[in-house]
Amino acid sequence: MANVVNSTQSFIYDLYNFYQWSQAMADQRTKGWMLVDSPFPTLVYTMIYFLIVWAGPKLMKNRKPFQLTWALVPYNLAMAALNLYIAVELLCASTKLRYNYLCQPVSKLRHPDEIRIASAVWWYYFSKLLEFCDTFFFILRKKDNQLTFLHVYHHSTMFSLWWIGIKWVPSGSTFLPAMANSFIHVLMYTYYGLSAFGPKVARYLWWKKYLTILQLIQFTTAMIMGINGIRSGCDFPLWMQYTLVIYMISFIVLFGNFYIKAYIEKGSKVFEGNSRSQMHVANGYMNGIEHAMLQNGDCKKLH
């Protein structure tokens, strides 16, 4: 028993020392920024998110779905505007600083444009908290088919992982995935904002399929750049590059599976269904002709 107690105390002590060491290694430029200093707010919000994902559909089971057009339109367009701001900030500041897109070490300088990049990365991290509303709207509208593993995994992990980003690497090569993803989110939230107006508008929105393709291109590019950074010895935290590669592989698998089921397999079924319908129509048409000719005594014309 004494050995168990001692082992537990030793583990807690080592864990505390690691926490203190990791805090000392954090980027001091973002110290004191909202939600940054401690991991607990991020963990608490993520746990609340999981709780709502679990309990929300149960609470809505016997209730009518909410329409929420009044909230969906401004929310999605506001998110599009926020992501546009983040992307433009990162693009302008990184261009001024002449950042290298293949490998950019983390600078601890307090140059105004470096702080500008760190600030944009913070907004990107914070936007991942706001994006929890995507899930809450699905629940309130009883779109439970949208609450896939991919959706929940994507939203919950992005918020946590980008806390790591803003805490330890708020500049350097961190800027590129945030910038690319923000540009894609501008298109995505614009799409969702416009589609919330209903079928009359939604039928003109043709680019949903291509958003998934853009995301797959983004994930693949980020994975290749991460592998290249590891191979070339880029002066960027190695653990971050390995994390990036593994994370991107998971996204490629999950989003690739979604694309196959949503567009390739579904498209094949639609094509097959259309072909069968056309055959039924053709058979019906020929049967009608044969029936008419039999009635007119023209049976010989069919043989």
Side-chain angles (χ1 to χ4, degrees), residues 1-298:
M1 184 66 180
N3 289 334
V4 173
V5 172
N6 290 334
S7 297
T8 303
Q9 289 178 339
S10 177
F11 173 76
I12 294 173
Y13 180 74
D14 290 341
L15 189 64
Y16 177 76
N17 284 339
F18 174 77
Y19 176 76
Q20 292 295 101
W21 172 82
S22 65
Q23 289 289 92
M25 296 295 292
D27 196 304
Q28 295 301 304
R29 293 173 299 176
T30 60
K31 186 177 181 179
W33 292 16
M34 190 169 73
L35 303 176
V36 173
D37 286 352
S38 171
F40 294 109
T42 299
L43 292 174
V44 168
Y45 283 127
T46 303
M47 290 301 104
I48 293 172
Y49 174 78
F50 284 133
L51 178 62
I52 294 174
V53 168
W54 173 77
K58 292 178 173 60
L59 295 173
M60 288 297 298
K61 185 176 182 179
N62 298 318
R63 291 177 170 83
K64 292 183 179 180
F66 293 92
Q67 295 302 316
L68 299 179
T69 303
W70 61 271
L72 289 170
V73 173
Y75 164 75
N76 283 292
L77 296 182
M79 290 299 292
L82 175 59
N83 277 276
L84 180 61
Y85 166 78
I86 295 168
V88 170
E89 282 290 284
L90 290 171
L91 177 62
C92 293
S94 63
T95 301
K96 285 186 177 181
L97 292 167
R98 297 183 179 180
Y99 265 21
N100 188 322
Y101 277 47
L102 295 178
C103 173
Q104 180 60 46
V106 179
S107 171
K108 299 296 179 73
L109 298 176
R110 293 185 179 272
H111 187 281
D113 285 314
E114 288 283 357
I115 299 299
R116 190 178 175 186
I117 285 180
S119 177
V121 171
W122 181 88
W123 276 108
Y124 183 74
Y125 153 72
F126 185 68
S127 74
K128 301 307 160 190
L129 175 61
L130 299 179
E131 285 177 12
F132 284 175
C133 292
D134 296 357
T135 307
F136 304 154
F137 286 137
F138 285 153
I139 293 171
L140 292 173
R141 297 167 67 207
K142 298 187 76 169
K143 302 284 187 180
D144 294 349
N145 61 311
Q146 304 273 17
L147 297 178
T148 60
F149 173 79
L150 168 59
H151 177 86
V152 176
Y153 170 76
H154 177 222
H155 280 67
S156 60
T157 56
M158 285 290 282
F159 181 51
S160 299
L161 289 175
W162 277 96
W163 175 79
I164 295 173
I166 190 62
K167 178 74 174 179
W168 282 281
V169 284
S171 62
S173 290
T174 302
F175 88 98
L176 188 56
M179 184 178 73
N181 192 246
S182 292
F183 274 124
I184 292 174
H185 274 59
V186 172
L187 299 175
M188 186 186 78
Y189 279 110
T190 300
Y191 170 87
Y192 286 127
L194 294 175
S195 65
F197 283 107
K200 291 183 179 180
V201 176
R203 62 182 178 180
Y204 296 107
L205 305 177
W206 48 266
W207 68 82
K208 183 180 180 181
K209 172 182 178 180
Y210 300 100
L211 288 174
T212 306
I213 293 175
L214 282 175
Q215 287 175 312
L216 284 168
I217 293 172
Q218 172 202 343
F219 301 146
T220 304
T221 304
M223 180 190 69
I224 292 171
M225 292 182 68
I227 293 172
N228 179 69
I230 295 170
R231 183 190 60 80
S232 64
C234 176
D235 187 16
F236 190 80
L238 192 61
W239 62 273
M240 282 289 290
Q241 297 189 71
Y242 275 108
T243 302
L244 173 67
V245 170
I246 295 170
Y247 195 48
M248 289 303 101
I249 290 173
S250 72
F251 273 169
I252 291 169
V253 171
L254 292 171
F255 274 83
N257 181 61
F258 166 77
Y259 182 84
I260 290 170
K261 289 184 176 180
Y263 300 111
I264 297 178
E265 290 182 359
K266 186 177 179 181
S268 298
K269 289 178 181 178
V270 170
F271 177 77
E272 183 180 345
N274 289 339
S275 298
R276 288 179 179 176
S277 297
Q278 290 172 0
M279 288 179 66
H280 285 312
V281 170
N283 288 337
Y285 178 71
M286 292 304 297
N287 289 338
I289 292 176
E290 183 174 355
H291 179 70
M293 294 180 75
L294 284 169
Q295 285 184 330
N296 293 330
D298 295 331

